[in-house]
Every structure is written in structure tokens, then in C-alpha cells.
């Protein structure tokens, strides 16, 4: 899990450097928000939380426990990637609003 969090921090650092090169810090807020939301949506799709109750129940009964553990592990991986991105986006949003 720490490795995926590190990947999220690395994405934030790359986007920060890109924003400095482009001289537009709004890009950091926009891109971290997009990458955070995209990775959260991927995590939700992999975890299967976007389905209806009947579909979730049917998948649960036909799925092996090892497959379920791997699916949840992969969903948590993407969720941990999204955390640094979304935290950075919120911080950038707050600084942008308080600086006015």
C-alpha cells in the first residue's frame, strides 16, 4: 500500500514540476483533481461498488475468496494513488480562495 501512495506522491511531484515550467499553478489543481477522480473511479469499478444490489450479490456468490481479495487489493491500490492527488487539489483550492 505504501508503494501505491508513493506513486500518487510521484504523480503530484511531476504535475507540480509541469506547473512550474508552464508558470500556471492552476494546472496543478486541475490535473491533480482529474488524476485523483480518475483513479477513484477506477477503484470503484474494480471494487464493484457501482453495480446494483442484485448484481453485487450474484458476483459475490460466484467469486472465489482469493479472487475477491485480489480485486479488493487492486481497488485499494488505486484508492491510495488518488489520496495524494485529491489532498493536493483541496490544498490548492483552499490557497487559491484564501489568497483573494
Amino acid at each position: 500500500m505504501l508503494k501505491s501512495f508513493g506513486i500518487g506522491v510521484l504523480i503530484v511531484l511531476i504535475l507540480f514540476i509541469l506547473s512550474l515550467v508552464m508558470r500556471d499553478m492552476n494546472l496543478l489543481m486541475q490535473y491533480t483533481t482529474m488524476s485523483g477522480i480518475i483513479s477513484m473511479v477506477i477503484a470503484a469499478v474494480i471494487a464493484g461498488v457501482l453495480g446494483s444490489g442484485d448484481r453485487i450479490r450474484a458476483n459475490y456468490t460466484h467469486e472465489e475468496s482469493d479472487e475477491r481479495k485480489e480485486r479488493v487489493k487492486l481497488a485499494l491500490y488505486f484508492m491510495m494513488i488518488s489520496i495524494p492527488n485529491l489532498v493536493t487539489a483541496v490544498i490548492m483550492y483552499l490557497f487559491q480562495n484564501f489568497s483573494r
Side-chain angles (χ1 to χ4, degrees), residues 13-98:
L13 289 175
I14 291 170
L15 292 173
F16 178 72
I17 292 169
L18 178 69
S19 297
L20 286 177
V21 169
M22 301 293 285
R23 295 182 182 167
D24 187 8
M25 292 308 282
N26 287 329
L27 290 176
L28 179 64
M29 186 176 69
Q30 292 171 355
Y31 290 154
T32 55
T33 302
M34 284 189 302
S35 64
I37 289 174
I38 288 170
S39 57
M40 280 184 74
V41 168
I42 291 171
V45 168
I46 290 172
V49 297
L50 301 177
S52 66
D54 293 336
R55 182 170 291 195
I56 292 172
R57 192 170 28 255
N59 289 340
Y60 184 79
T61 58
H62 290 92
E63 185 178 41
E64 298 290 328
S65 64
D66 293 336
E67 292 173 354
R68 188 176 313 114
K69 287 179 185 177
E70 285 298 316
R71 185 172 47 84
V72 169
K73 184 178 175 182
L74 188 60
L76 285 173
Y77 183 83
F78 279 102
M79 187 60 77
M80 291 297 288
I81 290 174
S82 71
I83 290 172
N85 289 291
L86 294 176
V87 168
T88 303
V90 168
I91 290 171
M92 291 298 297
Y93 177 76
L94 292 175
F95 278 126
Q96 185 181 26
N97 284 339
F98 285 131

Side-chain angles (χ1 to χ4, degrees), residues 1-10 77 80-81 84:
M1 290 300 144
L2 195 57
K3 187 184 219 182
S4 58
F5 188 80
I7 291 172
V9 170
L10 182 66
Y77 183 83
M80 291 297 288
I81 290 174

